[in-house]
Amino acid sequence: MLSVAHKPVLLKEVLSALSIQPGGRYVDCTLGGGGHCHGHYPGQRTRRAITGNDADPEAIRAAAINLSRYTDSVLLVNDNFVNIDTICHHYDFIPFTDFVRPRTVFDAAS
């Protein structure tokens, strides 16, 4: 299978900060090559578990390749994270459990 090299920044730290739980739904606001999503998947195989977006169309293409085995669970959106509220409403991805955005992990419940 074709793969696009991508090493996510602070993978262990980001995944430990997220409240990952079975059946959880997560938003990755800066998808990049999909590394954080891929790291999240060992315990998650639920339908539409992650919505990942990135403003860079090349990042979306790379993530599509890297996350191809999770096509039933991941929605990839080519848009800017500042539009995440509109994106989540449009794709009926509310409520969600947690999300990752540039430089910080926020708890969606707070």
Side-chain angles (χ1 to χ4, degrees), residues 25-27 48 51 75 83-99 108:
R25 292 165 34 117
Y26 304 89
V27 176
R48 189 68 79 70
T51 295
L75 171 68
N83 301 318
I84 199 64
D85 185 56
T86 302
I87 293 166
C88 288
H89 277 92
H90 178 78
Y91 291 102
D92 194 25
F93 206 76
I94 291 178
F96 52 85
T97 310
D98 228 345
F99 69 101

Side-chain angles (χ1 to χ4, degrees), residues 4-7 30-38 54 58-67:
V4 176
H6 174 70
K7 182 174 181 175
T30 54
L31 184 64
H36 290 114
C37 290
H38 196 275
D54 203 296
E58 288 297 317
I60 294 295
R61 283 191 276 282
I65 291 168
N66 290 334
L67 299 171

Side-chain angles (χ1 to χ4, degrees), residues 41 74-75 79:
Y41 261 100
V74 178
L75 171 68
D79 201 339

